[in-house]
Amino acid sequence: MARMTGRRALFAVPVLLTVTFGVFAVAAASPFDPVKAYAGTAGLTASQENLDQLRANLGVDQPLVARWWNWLTSALQGDLGDSSVMRQPVADVIAERLGWSVLLAATAFLIAILLGTGLGVLAARRPGGWLDRGVSSAAYTLEAAPAFWLGLLAIWVFALKLDVLPAGGLTDTASETITFGQVASHLVLPAAVLGVSQLPWFFLYVRQGVTDALAEDPVRGARARGLSERTVLLGHALRSGMLPMLTLIGSRVPELITGALLIETVFSWPGIAAATVQAATSVDFSLLAALTVLATAAVLLGNLLSDLLYGLADPRVAFDG
Amino acid sequence: MTARSIRGAVAATLVTALSLTAAACSNPDSSTGGSATGSTSAVVGIAYEPESLSPLLGYGKDGNSKIFDGLLALDADMQLRPALAAALPEVSADGLTYTYKLRQGVKFSDGEAFSAEDVVFTYRTILDEKTNNASRAELDAVKDVTAKGEDTVVFTLKYPYAPFAQRTVLAIAPEHIAGKQDVNNGAFTTRPIGTGPYVLTKWSKGEKLSFTANPHYWDGEPEVKKFTMAIIKDDDVRATRLRSGDLDGAILPPNLAKGFADDKAKKTYAATTYDYRTVTLPSHNKVAGDTAVRRALDVAVDRETMVKAILNGDGRPAYGPVPTDSEWFTKGTERPHDLAAAKKILDEAGWKPGKDGIRVKDGVRAAFPLWYLSGDKLRQEHALAYASDAKKAGIDIRTEAGTWEVIEPRMKHDAVLAGGGSPADPDFDQYTLLKSSLAGDGFNNMAWYDNKAVDAAIEAGRRSGEPAERKKAYDTVQRELVKNPGYTFLTHIDHLYVVDDRFGALTTQVEPHDHGLASGPWWNVEKWKTESAGGTDK
């Protein structure tokens, strides 16, 4: 187990290097001009000399490889550089926002796993029943629905029509302090939408896993021995039905990150994902590179976690090491 | 490992993760909040967010920043009045030296005294090439700025520049804070300290800016103690939050502002502006560069209909960068819609209708592309209306959408639907828009307009300190634009705001193209009178 973790960590180094270089290369090839983005509306009246000077100051006139190397060497020394779009150090941008994103993503993930598992087990108990048919078709529909569309729909229903939940932001508009109650009520919509958009995968996997397990010999044996339905369902069927879901937890991480990207924008949630969108459209190299490293690391960790869980849950699976 | 221990491990991991999350979410600025209990407050919705709040990077350059003051400020009638300066500047006879006496006893909101050194520091830093300020060219005339003692600042100019005093509305930064950190990325860019009527308590990027009244403001403590600007990019969401009472005021597009016309508790304000939409007619294009085509388009276009159909009546036809209701406008240069005249001009110039109705001259088809910024609905509608009007005169204009990155390389040959407008002085717009030496310099003179008479007039307009002489110079420019319009000016656009009635009757300033943070009826929120104490608090 430790060896597997170590090997994965070593493997992560070239992956991260490649990914950061890829970010610089793609950003350099994009038609967006970082100087224009930096100058904003002032750039539309600025003189060419002024713009050229900005280009030199921001260091975006250097060749791609040099820019990447400069970023990498200072990042390794703990200096992540300055974000041109936020006009502050990248480390500050991340420190201010990461927590809110983690809170949103973790809540959503919890909602998706708990709700998905619960509904999956219930549906598997009576395959073809009204609950199974209803939830399954809803799940297939949800799979096709983009997260931002769900977000807009939720704002329309809960904030505009019913007026029961706030439409966006971290706290009420007039409020300056961040209190638990405020954040909690503002978290409901974005977290629920993000969670629900991830729910179908968990639901469908659990439903399938548990249905299959219920048909297997050990479960039929347990039933024959007269064990209660509850023990059979949760103790036997769910345990073996959960296995594919553990893989799913890891593989859903990238989806969760892209989903959060859209949700944060829709709900003006001051998280890291909203900053990513701005960094990308403004060709903010330093911020974009740092955020990509974070996202890549999250994906690699997610995969490692699901492999570890799988290995722990099923003794037949060997750790790759 | 048994199932039980796995469950334990998973639970432990989750608990750790959640507690870490909770720890990471503690608010770093919580100590600054909650100081405005029992006082009056105002919350307004705006559509744009500044990148930075540092005057050194361009914030507050046109004055009227809530956090900072300039040496001078503009009042409701756009007249200059002293702010951090004790009086209007003394200008030397040759127009090259501006001397400002400073107001005494002014303090920054951190308690440090404001002095001449802060002014010198602010201007010198902006003029420094290492400072990433995209508006530096606006201070091009400045040769040097020096402090004479504690309370006098002297600017020396490279050339006589009549509207220079209008530039000194620029916000002044404290040297003792901003001078000690990285100008481009330091903490000051997001946590500014100024002398202004309000103190920034919190900036949650992408969400809102919170201000509290500066109790030691030199011009008196504002009655509105708490002021919040919510950043809501979506027009519909802004309108809804205004209706639900979450906001006290907001900027709205014409169609949404109309919905509040019958609301007795809210007032709608239409701020007149210098915000124009124009079509650049580049000199390097064989069709658009032809004076006959330009003149024909100038009368073929139906500006009145554009104002009615596109702006719902909230705007005015534009015949140049100067709006028709400005004191600088030259009466008699209005060009009414006249399709027959347009056809006559083209016929006489040798542009004869071809088989498809599009005119041809010497084998050149009267056609050119017109670019507009993709996603900007107002520009798109202007472009389509313009193309349709031109078609009636036999000129084929193909509209195309693109980002500035796509449009910029094409500006030399293709027409662009551009916008701009700066009310403080006619020089601000016209010099960069029309001066031939600035052709193709960044976004200056996008049409590569080249007219000797105009060059001479705008040069005279900026150098002369005599109002009558200046007026004559800008009259010449506007008359020249009738003879040879390098641009087809279409409309000046009103900006609409809806504000809660409880603040009483408010005023607006003449607004620029740029949506500054402090545009709108809250341009002077520090002077708002709140209704008798009690009962009005939110």
Side-chain angles (χ1 to χ4, degrees):
Chain A
M1 209 175 144
R3 273 181 65 192
M4 177 166 108
T5 314
R7 266 168 50 117
R8 292 287 186 88
L10 270 182
F11 174 69
V13 174
V15 170
L16 287 173
L17 283 181
T18 318
V19 165
T20 55
F21 187 76
V23 168
F24 275 83
V26 169
S30 88
F32 294 110
D33 182 355
V35 176
K36 289 257 160 44
Y38 184 90
T41 39
L44 296 180
T45 49
S47 67
Q48 195 58 49
E49 186 198 350
N50 200 172
L51 291 175
D52 291 344
Q53 184 65 46
L54 267 183
R55 192 173 298 278
N57 288 0
L58 294 174
V60 286
D61 53 348
Q62 295 170 24
L64 160 68
V65 179
R67 216 157 30 179
W68 175 68
W69 185 249
N70 287 345
W71 176 83
L72 188 71
T73 44
S74 43
L76 288 177
Q77 288 158 22
D79 176 14
L80 290 173
D82 296 315
S83 159
S84 63
V85 61
M86 300 290 174
R87 313 286 204 268
Q88 64 188 127
V90 168
D92 288 2
V93 177
I94 293 176
E96 273 174 21
R97 293 166 171 264
L98 188 62
W100 300 119
S101 285
V102 172
L103 175 70
L104 174 64
T107 316
F109 216 38
L110 216 61
I111 291 174
I113 293 175
L114 292 182
L115 216 58
T117 312
L119 287 172
V121 171
L122 287 178
R125 233 173 87 194
R126 307 232 189 293
W130 63 268
L131 183 90
D132 180 30
R133 274 184 291 148
V135 179
S136 295
S137 40
Y140 285 120
T141 318
L142 273 180
E143 262 186 317
F148 74 88
W149 181 80
L150 287 176
L152 291 175
L153 192 73
I155 291 184
W156 186 71
V157 174
F158 294 100
L160 301 196
K161 290 291 151 196
L162 302 178
D163 197 20
V164 286
L165 286 166
L170 189 65
T171 53
D172 285 348
T173 320
S175 152
E176 276 168 44
T177 41
I178 297 179
T179 59
F180 177 80
Q182 289 250 326
V183 175
S185 70
H186 283 74
L187 179 65
V188 174
L189 271 191
V193 169
L194 186 56
V196 163
S197 75
Q198 300 298 314
L199 183 119
W201 282 268
F202 293 103
F203 165 76
L204 293 170
Y205 265 72
V206 171
R207 178 187 165 274
Q208 195 59 45
V210 174
T211 311
D212 289 350
L214 281 174
E216 275 169 15
D217 285 344
V219 175
R220 282 174 29 210
R223 273 208 174 121
R225 289 203 304 279
L227 292 174
S228 78
E229 186 65 20
R230 202 185 139 85
T231 319
V232 171
L233 199 62
L234 299 182
H236 293 76
L238 179 59
R239 239 191 107 190
S240 78
M242 278 288 275
L243 282 179
M245 210 184 92
L246 296 179
T247 327
L248 195 64
I249 289 180
S251 66
R252 291 318 296 172
V253 170
E255 275 282 340
L256 194 70
I257 293 173
T258 49
L261 216 76
L262 299 166
I263 293 297
E264 286 188 7
T265 313
V266 170
F267 287 95
S268 22
W269 186 259
I272 203 88
T276 312
V277 178
Q278 262 188 303
T281 52
S282 316
V283 207
D284 186 345
F285 289 99
S286 311
L287 183 56
L288 202 54
L291 293 179
T292 317
V293 168
L294 266 180
T296 315
V299 170
L300 292 175
L301 269 174
N303 281 331
L304 175 65
L305 181 73
S306 76
D307 286 355
L308 288 177
L309 285 176
Y310 206 93
L312 290 174
D314 189 344
R316 288 169 301 179
V317 179
F319 294 115
D320 63 41
Chain B
M1 232 177 182
T2 64
R4 190 176 302 271
S5 63
I6 296 163
R7 249 178 261 137
V10 169
T13 317
L14 276 176
V15 168
T16 319
L18 285 176
S19 56
L20 280 177
T21 312
C25 292
S26 61
N27 171 22
D29 294 320
S30 52
S31 58
T32 55
S35 55
T37 42
S39 58
T40 40
S41 74
V43 184
V44 300
I46 55 174
Y48 298 92
E49 181 172 35
E51 283 89 7
S52 150
L53 291 177
S54 169
L56 306 170
L57 299 181
Y59 172 70
K61 72 183 176 66
D62 299 314
N64 203 7
S65 144
K66 292 293 155 230
I67 312 162
F68 299 96
D69 291 302
L71 288 172
L72 304 178
L74 292 161
D75 64 13
D77 302 321
M78 298 306 281
Q79 298 300 313
L80 286 171
R81 61 172 173 81
L84 286 180
L88 293 181
E90 278 172 37
V91 188
S92 65
D94 59 2
L96 287 173
T97 313
Y98 281 67
T99 308
Y100 289 81
K101 280 267 178 230
L102 301 186
R103 191 179 292 277
Q104 294 299 297
V106 176
K107 284 190 163 62
F108 285 100
S109 59
D110 65 347
E112 290 280 327
F114 156 78
S115 83
E117 288 304 326
D118 296 305
V119 179
V120 174
F121 162 76
T122 301
Y123 281 89
R124 285 211 177 138
T125 309
I126 293 174
L127 289 168
D128 184 356
E129 289 196 334
K130 290 195 194 66
T131 306
N132 295 342
N133 186 318
S135 310
R136 182 179 306 124
E138 294 185 353
L139 293 178
D140 180 59
V142 178
K143 191 161 100 191
D144 198 15
V145 47
T146 47
K148 289 243 164 31
E150 276 290 291
D151 66 340
T152 308
V153 176
V154 180
F155 291 87
T156 43
L157 305 188
K158 295 178 202 156
Y159 45 84
Y161 185 54
F164 178 69
Q166 263 85 358
R167 291 293 190 208
T168 57
V169 299
L170 180 148
I172 301 297
E175 184 181 21
H176 70 274
I177 294 168
K180 291 199 181 106
Q181 45 179 269
D182 181 349
V183 175
N184 296 317
N185 302 298
F188 181 70
T189 59
T190 49
R191 286 196 289 279
I193 304 276
T195 55
Y198 284 90
V199 179
L200 181 83
T201 49
K202 188 168 162 48
W203 182 10
S204 173
K205 278 197 184 163
E207 198 197 350
K208 67 189 168 196
L209 294 133
S210 309
F211 302 91
T212 167
N214 178 359
H216 309 296
Y217 188 50
W218 56 267
D219 201 17
E221 188 185 0
E223 277 191 30
V224 173
K225 298 281 183 264
K226 230 175 107 185
F227 184 55
T228 309
M229 290 172 163
I231 296 129
I232 305 160
K233 293 202 171 106
D234 190 277
D235 294 335
D236 291 296
V237 175
R238 217 175 319 117
T240 310
R241 284 172 68 173
L242 179 63
R243 185 160 283 133
S244 74
D246 183 26
L247 304 176
D248 298 317
I251 179 163
L252 291 176
N255 57 335
L256 288 171
K258 223 194 256 174
F260 291 92
D262 299 330
D263 191 336
K264 290 237 160 44
K266 299 210 164 43
K267 277 204 182 88
T268 302
Y269 297 90
T272 59
T273 71
Y274 265 51
D275 187 3
Y276 60 75
R277 292 293 175 276
T278 186
V279 175
T280 67
L281 298 171
S283 305
H284 292 269
N285 186 298
K286 275 194 182 137
V287 180
D290 186 322
T291 311
V293 172
R294 293 173 169 197
R295 284 182 52 220
L297 284 170
D298 207 30
V299 289
V301 60
D302 188 353
R303 298 176 172 93
E304 298 281 352
T305 305
M306 284 188 188
V307 170
K308 270 191 216 113
I310 302 172
L311 306 177
N312 284 328
D314 292 313
R316 279 143 301 149
Y319 304 100
V322 182
T324 47
D325 60 355
S326 163
E327 53 174 325
W328 294 99
F329 183 72
T330 309
K331 294 264 175 340
T333 58
E334 296 93 342
R335 277 88 78 192
H337 171 58
D338 189 346
L339 186 59
K343 285 181 175 163
K344 195 163 154 249
I345 294 169
L346 290 169
D347 284 337
E348 279 169 4
W351 290 95
K352 300 289 179 207
K355 274 185 211 129
D356 54 354
I358 303 305
R359 290 167 188 267
V360 182
K361 182 185 177 184
D362 305 334
V364 179
R365 208 165 161 273
F368 60 88
L370 168 62
W371 291 86
Y372 63 88
L373 188 62
S374 51
D376 188 328
K377 199 155 160 279
L378 208 54
R379 290 186 194 219
Q380 180 186 24
E381 286 174 355
H382 274 95
L384 292 174
Y386 184 68
S388 132
D389 286 346
K391 189 79 169 253
K392 289 177 197 148
I395 297 168
D396 181 23
I397 294 176
R398 200 172 60 254
T399 57
E400 295 195 54
T403 61
W404 285 121
E405 281 79 6
V406 176
I407 297 171
E408 196 192 357
R410 295 175 167 84
M411 286 188 323
K412 191 173 174 183
H413 297 282
D414 296 0
V416 179
L417 207 127
S422 180
D425 193 274
D427 174 77
F428 294 176
D429 277 327
Q430 301 188 19
Y431 196 83
T432 52
L433 198 63
L434 300 169
K435 181 82 174 153
S436 63
S437 60
L438 292 179
D441 175 56
F443 283 82
N444 291 330
N445 193 354
M446 282 164 77
W448 297 66
Y449 189 68
D450 190 351
N451 183 333
K452 294 284 166 293
V454 169
D455 276 352
I458 48 179
E459 201 61 56
R462 71 164 25 185
R463 279 169 191 267
S464 168
E466 276 300 309
E469 241 173 88
R470 297 195 73 204
K471 172 76 174 130
K472 216 176 96 195
Y474 292 113
D475 282 348
T476 309
V477 174
Q478 290 172 72
R479 295 218 175 85
E480 281 299 318
L481 281 179
V482 180
K483 288 188 226 156
N484 179 12
Y487 302 76
T488 313
F489 286 87
L490 305 176
T491 57
H492 279 104
I493 294 161
D494 286 353
H495 297 160
L496 295 179
Y497 302 88
V498 178
V499 185
D500 200 304
D501 204 24
R502 75 186 157 101
F503 297 107
L506 306 173
T507 55
T508 56
Q509 274 181 315
V510 181
E511 296 185 359
H513 167 64
D514 215 4
H515 290 255
L517 270 189
S519 293
W522 43 91
W523 74 277
N524 63 348
V525 61
E526 63 273 18
K527 301 273 177 228
W528 284 14
K529 300 288 169 211
T530 49
E531 292 190 0
S532 58
T536 52
D537 284 7
K538 281 181 62 83

